[in-house]
Amino acid sequence: MELKLNKMIYCILPPPIVTAVSSGYVAECQLQSCIRQGEKSRLPVGGNDTVTDRVSGKKPFRSSNIEFLRIVAMSMILIGHILTHGLAGIVSWQYYVPITTFCACGVNLFFMISGYFGIKLSIKSLFKFICTILFFEIINIILILLAGSHLSTADVLNIILFPVSKSPYWFLQVYLLIMVCAPVINMGLDNMSPKMMRRFVVLFTFFTVYSCGLGHNVSNPNGYTFVQGVYMYTLASYIRRQSVILNVSRNICLLIALMLLAIGSVALYYTHHTSFTAYNSVINIFASVFIFLYFSKLKIRSGLINAVASASLGCYLLQDGLFGIRHGYGYIANIYVNNTLVSAILLIVLIFISYWLFSYLLMYISNFISRQAWSFATFISMRLPAAGIIHGSFI
């Protein structure tokens, strides 16, 4: 029917107009083809980690390999915090060193996960991010009060007025800025040629490892910085684009990562210099990269893994919040000191599992509250034209 209609139009219209219409139609088809190719080019290599097919609009079942990595990375952070914040100076050095070294990759891996998929910034995503942090900080306040501790008015006001900036979560403070800058970062990376991107990654790596990791450049002296987050984000973005890197065997990737971490453990054990395993150290960075490559090659589809992974952020917010800093780590230290080794380990494992269970439940409640709050904010903005930006998106 459409073909017949087109022929009728071509018969009726004068030749110059037919030529113009045909050219416009071809140009539109070419544009649509370019859009589709562009959308596909932003998908992870192999396409097995796609969360949403932005061309078709369908939501296929999520591949679980990177979600599994998310669980592993958060477990590294939880275990590392238990040792460094709760059991430092209590656990024997010969056990403390290898465990903390192997767990030190968790933070870099989280930055890489974000870079691999790319942060899609919008007002809604920022709103949900801040609401989630605020919700868990309120949970921390409740736990502190239940523990019989006191919170000053200044503490409460800081939480309400600056839920991210005044929080104890340094990672989320850095991540918030990465979210805000994501449109600029993504645009810069997307518009680089492969050759230019390789040069940029090499230069950025040299700066991070040599100038910052060894020279303690003030822009990134220890890895707890925006610069480190952007660097790991860039590395993961580069890995997604350069399929040749992914041709390395996953077992070789894992073996290299373990070898690097073993070298870091030995160096830390004999020198007591934490710079060997800092976030911006060459050992941590390359071990994180090879761990990431290993998981990117796995083929896993599991609803359970995806569900557990959704609780990752909540685990961090529960463990390293005000309650954890004031009481949680102290409780863990008391458990380790006042019980037999086997009993202490079992109790700490139970606490570790409870982080995941309670986080899953609280994230469900937090997401529900965030959705309701967003709906209310959208309703208000429809009646306040000046607040129409709430509907906007930066990409």
Side-chain angles (χ1 to χ4, degrees), residues 69-338:
L69 175 60
R70 198 186 303 273
I71 296 172
V72 172
M74 179 50 64
S75 298
M76 288 178 172
I77 292 173
L78 295 178
I79 295 170
H81 284 171
I82 288 173
L83 284 167
T84 57
H85 299 332
L87 301 178
I90 300 175
V91 174
S92 174
W93 184 247
Q94 61 183 338
Y95 301 119
Y96 178 90
V97 169
I99 297 175
T100 54
T101 300
F102 277 73
C103 290
C105 295
V107 170
N108 281 340
L109 288 171
F110 260 99
F111 284 131
M112 292 189 74
I113 291 171
S114 297
Y116 189 69
F117 289 116
I119 296 174
K120 316 301 185 293
L121 179 64
S122 66
I123 296 295
K124 185 176 181 179
S125 64
L126 277 174
F127 182 86
K128 181 181 178 181
F129 178 74
I130 295 172
C131 279
T132 301
I133 296 172
L134 180 59
F135 173 79
F136 274 87
E137 287 189 312
I138 292 173
I139 295 298
N140 273 273
I141 289 176
I142 294 172
L143 292 174
I144 287 173
L145 295 176
L146 290 176
S149 296
H150 173 71
L151 277 173
S152 66
T153 304
D155 290 334
V156 176
L157 286 176
N158 283 335
I159 290 172
I160 295 173
L161 298 177
F162 304 99
V164 180
S165 301
K166 294 287 187 179
S167 74
Y169 310 113
W170 75 266
F171 174 83
L172 298 182
Q173 294 177 28
V174 170
Y175 193 82
L176 177 62
L177 183 55
I178 294 177
M179 288 182 70
V180 172
C181 296
V184 178
I185 298 171
N186 293 338
M187 185 177 297
L189 296 175
D190 289 342
N191 284 283
M192 286 185 185
S193 66
K195 184 177 181 180
M196 182 185 295
M197 194 168 189
R198 281 195 299 272
R199 290 178 176 177
F200 176 68
V201 168
V202 170
L203 183 61
F204 206 169
T205 300
F206 180 78
F207 172 78
T208 302
V209 172
Y210 180 75
S211 182
C212 299
L214 297 177
H216 303 291
N217 186 300
V218 69
S219 64
N220 184 20
N222 50 19
Y224 293 81
T225 64
F226 171 73
V227 173
Q228 181 69 20
V230 173
Y231 170 63
M232 299 308 299
Y233 186 100
T234 301
L235 275 183
S237 181
Y238 177 72
I239 288 171
R240 177 170 61 85
R241 287 166 169 80
Q242 304 299 316
S243 58
V244 65
I245 296 178
L246 299 180
N247 291 331
V248 182
S249 166
R250 69 169 183 241
N251 291 330
I252 292 178
C253 291
L254 183 60
L255 179 62
I256 293 173
L258 294 176
M259 288 176 61
L260 286 170
L261 293 173
I263 292 170
S265 296
V266 173
L268 177 60
Y269 183 84
Y270 287 105
T271 66
H272 291 249
H273 287 182
T274 56
S275 59
F276 282 106
T277 55
Y279 298 143
N280 59 0
S281 69
V282 63
I283 290 175
N284 194 317
I285 288 171
F286 282 98
S288 299
V289 167
F290 282 105
I291 290 172
F292 188 91
L293 288 173
Y294 172 78
F295 278 90
S296 71
K297 295 169 177 297
L298 296 177
K299 295 186 181 299
I300 308 172
R301 286 180 179 268
S302 168
L304 177 61
I305 289 177
N306 295 346
V308 173
S310 68
S312 298
L313 176 60
C315 289
Y316 173 61
L317 294 170
L318 273 180
Q319 186 196 47
D320 221 35
L322 286 176
F323 176 76
I325 292 171
R326 295 191 181 189
H327 298 283
Y329 294 124
Y331 291 154
I332 291 174
N334 289 332
I335 287 173
Y336 189 84
V337 171
N338 298 321

Side-chain angles (χ1 to χ4, degrees), residues 370-388:
S370 296
R371 287 194 300 269
Q372 300 305 312
W374 176 254
S375 298
F376 178 75
T378 304
F379 175 79
I380 295 298
S381 73
M382 292 172 65
R383 285 152 179 77
L384 297 174

Side-chain angles (χ1 to χ4, degrees), residues 135-136 310-311 358-371:
F135 173 79
F136 274 87
S310 68
F358 284 110
S359 173
Y360 183 80
L361 175 62
L362 292 173
M363 283 297 295
Y364 180 85
I365 298 172
S366 174
N367 289 336
F368 174 79
I369 294 174
S370 296
R371 287 194 300 269

